[in-house]
Amino acid sequence: MSQTVGRTRLAYSRTWHHISLSAASTPPLGRLASRIALILMGKHKPIWDPSTDCGDYVVATSCTDLLVTGKKMQQKKYYTHSTRPGSLKAISMEGMMRKWGGGEVLRKAVRGMLPKNRLRDKRLDRLKVFEGAAHPYKDNLVKVDGRTRIVDVPEVRAEMEKARAL
């Protein structure tokens, strides 16, 4: 008898999740980043293993509407250093939103919540962030705001109509 129950190619297939930050029920930045990190790691799947990369893709749109609580927008600082003496630079979250947009703020938050190992950059590459609502991945999306849209896939819809006709 096989000992690898459930570890099929279908179990490891990657689905695309869409998260719109313009919705009224969008959580604050930290809670949102932790949920995205869990999806990127694949912890929501029953086959999750820390040493394998079985996570899904995440498309985050409307990142200009990123919600933060308190005075984080003015007080939170992001630091960069080039290892040269005197090269420490700090920028506030507000400045980062102006300079690079809310997508970079979200990407940095998610990066901090992923495990610090050799899979982190590969997982982070599957996070696609966009400032507006438009994005080129509309055909790939299967889950929108946590709800499955499998009936919107053209092949599935054609098969369902063919089954109804019988």
Side-chain angles (χ1 to χ4, degrees):
M1 183 170 184
S2 175
Q3 296 298 315
T4 57
V5 176
R7 299 195 184 258
T8 62
R9 183 175 295 190
L10 181 61
Y12 281 102
S13 65
R14 300 187 194 279
T15 59
W16 289 71
H17 301 261
H18 179 252
I19 297 174
S20 176
L21 301 178
S22 63
S25 62
T26 303
L29 174 63
R31 292 177 190 268
L32 179 68
S34 65
R35 290 178 190 170
I36 291 173
L38 290 177
I39 293 171
L40 291 174
M41 286 187 283
K43 279 190 144 181
H44 63 290
K45 295 183 177 183
I47 58 155
W48 181 77
D49 182 45
S51 63
T52 59
D53 193 13
C54 59
D56 294 339
Y57 288 89
V58 176
V59 178
T61 57
S62 303
C63 290
T64 54
D65 301 330
L66 198 61
L67 175 68
V68 291
T69 57
K71 297 181 181 179
K72 290 185 192 80
M73 195 63 80
Q74 293 82 25
Q75 293 179 351
K76 174 142 181 64
K77 301 283 186 193
Y78 294 96
Y79 297 97
T80 58
H81 199 284
S82 69
T83 68
R84 305 278 299 176
S87 69
L88 180 66
K89 294 180 182 174
I91 187 169
S92 67
M93 185 184 286
E94 192 174 38
M96 185 170 280
M97 291 277 283
R98 263 188 273 113
K99 192 170 184 179
W100 289 299
E104 187 63 26
V105 173
L106 180 63
R107 188 182 305 277
K108 283 185 177 286
V110 171
R111 181 180 171 85
M113 294 191 183
L114 288 173
K116 281 67 174 175
N117 57 20
R118 64 178 73 180
L119 294 174
R120 179 162 71 167
D121 290 333
K122 291 178 186 175
R123 288 172 174 162
L124 200 59
D125 286 342
R126 289 196 306 270
L127 173 63
K128 314 294 184 189
V129 292
F130 297 97
E131 298 301 313
H135 61 87
Y137 302 108
K138 287 185 174 68
D139 295 337
N140 300 348
L141 295 178
V142 173
K143 292 194 173 189
V144 176
D145 292 327
R147 294 184 306 274
T148 304
R149 289 183 34 209
I150 195 70
V151 293
D152 293 341
V153 177
E155 293 85 15
V156 174
R157 181 175 285 159
E159 290 295 321
M160 288 176 65
E161 289 174 2
K162 194 184 301 181
R164 281 188 204 142
L166 295 175

